[in-house]
Amino acid sequence: MRTTLRRVAVGLSLAALTATAAACSSATADSSATSSGTDAPAASALDGKGEVSIDFWHAMTGKNGEALTQLADQFNAKNKGRVKVNLQFKNTYDDTLSAYKAALNSGQAPDVVQVYDIGTRFMIDSKSTVPVQAFVDADKSTTADIQPNIAGYYSVDNKLYSMPFNTSMPLLYLNKTAFTKAGLDPANPPKTLDEITEAARKLTVKDANGRVTQYGFGAALYGWFLEQWTAVGNQEYCDQGNGRDGRGTTLKLATDDHVKLLAWWKKMVDEGLAPKLDSNTTTADNAFTAGTVAMTLESTGSLSGFLKSSEGKFEIATGNYPKINTTDAGGPIIGGASLWVVGKGKDDAHKRASWEFVKFLSDKDSQATWHTSTGYFPISKGALETEVDKQWVAQRPQFQTAITQLQNTPLSKATQGCLLGAMPQARKAAEQAMQAAVLSGTEPRAALEQQQEALAGPIKDYNQSVAG
Amino acid sequence: MTAPTLLAADTAARTDRPPGRPRRAAAPARARETALGLLFALPGLAGLGIFVIFPLFQAVYLATRGNDILGNPTRSVGMAHFQELLTPEFGTVLWQTLVFTVLVVVPGVLLPLALAAPMTQRLPGMRVFRTAFALPFAYSVSAASVVWLIMLNPGISPVNWALGLIGVPAPNWTTEPGWAMATVVGVTVWMVSGFNLLVLAAGLAGVDEEVLEAARMDGATGPRQFVSIVLPMISPSLFFAVVTTTLAALQALGQVQIMTDGGPNGHTRTLVYSIFDNAFHNNNSNFGLASAQGLVLLVIGVLIAVVQFGVLERRVHYR
């Protein structure tokens, strides 16, 4: 009897463990969407409402989090008695979005939420937000101050849906000291895959036992990088005009360029010019700042951190994000995250208060503060013209590469980036293919085809569930 | 989540009618006693109902549903989610879960046993060692995973540096498929060993010196004494260690997610990781498929429990 009971107890506790994990977030199902409209109330909505308190869910840690708190304090001081914003840190982008989904179901949604670029299609489809464009139109103002390439990502049918906030683009980072030592010119960084190989051969250093002490190149097998390479090649990453003309149905993973890229990467590893790294960017970042790899790929957002960790050890230079083919004439996508004004279940005063806060974060002074304290790319053209910003860039010439790179990037559907409901899964699928080809030695085309096929299901599921 | 349910089940077990009651008590008194008994059992039953029975049915229901983009259950998809489990991919996940569990449980119990044996000797300084070896148990999964990730980071790894000193080339800890599994297993073993060491050391300390002496007089020494006398006497502790370690290995998620994220290319994807991935990761909200996989985990858990309690426990010697 005792054993039977215990058996049941163990079994049931296991059941509870697994079942509740899946059930708890969907048990509160209440899909009766009483859309309180996606119209944007005018400034008068705040009149006579006293101090309106709004919640902002974000995913900014460390220095970035501190800078955000500083901006929010400024806003609260300025709007005393009118609007008060409460910051709520929700861990990673992934977790923030999960929390937002659950909150929509239980009616506990925040007023403003920060969502990563690849969550854009999902946010539009959730029909829970007020498009930023609606507020801009209601205020009879414009979005002219926003960098067009940045606004491009978050615009669908020429309508700006969310306010870009923390944006970054990828760069090629060089260990300047190692470059000079190897007789290379850091002012003239490699521009293509072949040039990287050539430089890496000179940069790779072995010790007396034949073990590599410095690799020429090394970057995380991060899905974002593959998206960037595609855009630099001026290629669309998914069909339907990168998901901008209609709902995307296929991810173009198994392309000749991608095959070429992964074959190149594998060869770099086989030749001992690059270490085997996984998709975790922190690991690759550490390898670069420790001097183990002499060239890496990272976002502009990492510049400040890199400068700090390499201080006294070596100098850093930057170059444009490399091309797969010499003829590639596109440019990188400017990614990051944006701010969404939640409309579902919110009254006019809250919607308006949210917009006031979003507007504040996007103006040129806030963006100059934000840029100089975090290293993210300012979304406001005017921010780059402010004194504080000019000084900051003058002290960090490495950042000038990013500004020039952005200015030289033509705005096209390719450089706007692929919009896909299943984009987070698509990024993961790309990483799986990269890992398969570079780490487990699967033939690149086979690895890419396999993941493209595996992703067809989630894309179809997503499109079906949106259709109802 | 496990602890309260176990407690709840225990409470339920204790409400079994006490034996040896007089057959015919006064009827009102009996009714009152039954009511009182039920009242006492109610909190336990409520817990069991809310946290065990209801989610179980919820999981079965969800497993037959599709999901909208917010994760709400929508149309019925019948057995489609279960059909998705009949693929080589899911077979690989199950196989990797099995490999992971075996590789964690066997060394995770044997290693502490080997350490506990000398540590129960009354030698100076053993107390310090015991504390030091038991310490990993105090780490949370995420803290331990992050620490090990840094220790094995190809750029700054002290482990690789130490290996270099003795001329051993460092492996690609988390990026070579075989090594990635070994690394995640190793960290898990490191984490469970501390607790198992405590349990087994306590078991060994409880072995009666007189029994050992009697055995010695009968000529049982060394390995013979360990196998025939000590092992049976600590079998309850050993059994407890095996059962809890199996559960811990089956439920392992944090170390996989943080150290390899199921990679490289899915080579460390285990069942619980797969459930988490389908339900919450990468903006997924495929609760249907996750629930179907959760039910598979339930079946596996029950099967293992039946084997452990049906076969292993028969050999356990309770004093």
Side-chain angles (χ1 to χ4, degrees), chain B residues 1-233:
Chain B
M1 219 174 288
T2 326
T5 34
L6 275 171
L7 270 179
D10 269 354
T11 327
R14 278 193 212 104
T15 53
D16 279 2
R17 192 180 308 143
R21 279 250 132 218
R23 237 178 188 297
R24 270 236 159 256
R30 258 199 79 175
R32 204 170 147 260
E33 199 165 297
T34 313
L36 204 64
L38 273 178
L39 191 70
F40 283 132
L42 203 60
L45 286 176
L48 199 69
I50 294 169
F51 294 112
V52 179
I53 312 285
F54 171 71
L56 183 58
F57 283 102
Q58 182 85 14
V60 173
Y61 166 77
L62 286 175
T64 62
R65 299 280 132 174
N67 295 98
D68 69 8
I69 56 170
L70 293 179
N72 295 317
T74 52
R75 66 198 190 286
S76 168
V77 296
M79 291 290 115
H81 287 316
F82 292 98
Q83 269 165 18
E84 276 183 66
L85 301 183
L86 301 173
T87 54
E89 285 79 24
F90 190 66
T92 312
V93 168
L94 287 183
W95 169 247
Q96 281 167 186
T97 311
L98 177 74
V99 169
F100 179 83
T101 309
V102 171
L103 289 183
V104 166
V105 173
V106 175
V109 173
L110 290 186
L111 192 74
L113 186 61
L115 286 172
M119 236 173 258
T120 34
Q121 309 298 315
R122 291 204 174 73
L123 295 174
M126 272 308 160
R127 199 184 281 260
V128 178
F129 274 110
R130 207 183 313 176
T131 313
F133 280 118
L135 216 53
F137 154 61
Y139 271 80
S140 74
V141 175
S142 34
S145 307
V146 170
V147 167
W148 276 103
L149 206 53
I150 294 170
M151 295 275 279
L152 301 175
N153 182 315
I156 49 177
S157 166
V159 177
N160 290 359
W161 173 79
L163 285 177
L165 286 187
I166 53 169
V168 179
N172 291 303
W173 297 106
T174 55
T175 49
E176 205 84 57
W179 273 108
M181 179 59 97
T183 304
V184 178
V185 163
V187 171
T188 313
V189 168
W190 180 78
M191 277 188 294
V192 297
S193 293
F195 181 66
N196 287 348
L197 181 69
L198 283 183
V199 171
L200 294 174
L204 280 175
V207 174
D208 204 333
E209 201 51 47
E210 281 174 28
V211 178
L212 295 180
E213 207 176 306
R216 259 197 297 277
M217 281 180 185
D218 287 342
T221 50
R224 179 67 207 266
Q225 189 189 53
F226 187 76
V227 173
S228 306
I229 310 292
V230 178
L231 270 191
M233 290 198 71

Side-chain angles (χ1 to χ4, degrees), chain A residues 1-3 5-31 94-95 97-98 100-102 104-105 116 118-119 121-122 124-127 209 211 215 275-280 282-284 286-292 344 421-425 428 431-433 435-437 439-440 442 450-451 458 461-466 468, chain B residues 1-2 5-6 9-10 12-13 16 48 50-56 58-59 62 67-73 75 84 89 149-150 153-156 163-165 167-170 172 174-177 239 243 247 250-251 258-267 269 272-273 275 277 279-287 290-291 294-295 297-298 300-302 305-306 309-310 313-314 318:
Chain A
M1 184 66 202
R2 243 178 87 230
T3 15
L5 269 168
R6 242 188 301 174
R7 239 177 258 171
V8 172
V10 171
L12 288 183
S13 61
L14 259 171
L17 175 94
T18 54
T20 38
C24 58
S25 70
S26 61
T28 50
D30 171 19
S31 50
D94 234 10
D95 291 346
L97 198 56
S98 290
Y100 181 69
K101 276 196 216 178
L104 278 183
N105 283 330
Y116 51 18
I118 50 178
R121 184 74 246 178
F122 165 79
I124 296 174
D125 292 334
S126 77
K127 297 194 177 71
N209 299 324
R211 270 201 311 272
Y215 290 95
K276 281 192 172 182
L277 295 170
D278 58 12
S279 302
N280 186 340
T282 317
T283 311
N286 286 334
F288 179 69
T289 52
T292 314
K344 191 183 173 190
M423 199 57 202
Q425 289 100 312
K428 181 78 178 198
E431 285 171 7
Q432 300 274 47
Q435 291 178 357
L439 303 178
S440 344
T442 311
Q450 193 198 341
Q451 286 304 325
D461 284 352
Y462 182 93
N463 290 348
Q464 255 174 13
S465 58
V466 174
Chain B
M1 219 174 288
T2 326
T5 34
L6 275 171
D10 269 354
D16 279 2
L48 199 69
I50 294 169
F51 294 112
V52 179
I53 312 285
F54 171 71
L56 183 58
Q58 182 85 14
L62 286 175
N67 295 98
D68 69 8
I69 56 170
L70 293 179
N72 295 317
R75 66 198 190 286
E84 276 183 66
E89 285 79 24
L149 206 53
I150 294 170
N153 182 315
I156 49 177
L163 285 177
L165 286 187
V168 179
N172 291 303
T174 55
T175 49
E176 205 84 57
F239 180 66
V243 171
L247 284 179
L250 268 185
Q251 298 172 5
I258 293 170
M259 298 199 64
T260 61
D261 203 18
N265 189 25
H267 281 287
R269 205 177 159 90
V272 173
Y273 177 83
I275 294 170
D277 189 36
F280 304 109
H281 212 19
N282 301 313
N283 198 22
N284 275 334
S285 40
N286 198 343
F287 294 110
S291 300
L295 291 173
L297 178 60
L298 167 67
I300 292 176
V302 168
V306 166
F309 283 92
E313 203 194 19
R314 275 176 220 286
Y318 291 107

Side-chain angles (χ1 to χ4, degrees), chain A residues 345-399:
Chain A
K346 304 288 175 191
D347 63 11
D348 283 356
H350 279 83
K351 284 194 256 183
R352 184 69 207 184
S354 303
W355 168 239
E356 293 293 332
F357 179 57
V358 168
K359 202 164 59 173
F360 167 81
L361 286 182
S362 64
D363 74 20
K364 70 175 169 45
D365 292 320
S366 301
Q367 279 296 313
T369 312
W370 181 242
H371 171 208
T372 53
S373 39
T374 63
Y376 280 117
F377 203 99
I379 67 151
S380 146
K381 286 186 205 160
L384 287 173
E385 302 303 321
T386 59
E387 233 8 83
V388 50
D389 210 290
K390 277 182 179 164
Q391 257 177 29
W392 189 87
V393 175
Q395 280 163 9
R396 291 169 190 73
Q398 296 95 340
F399 197 81

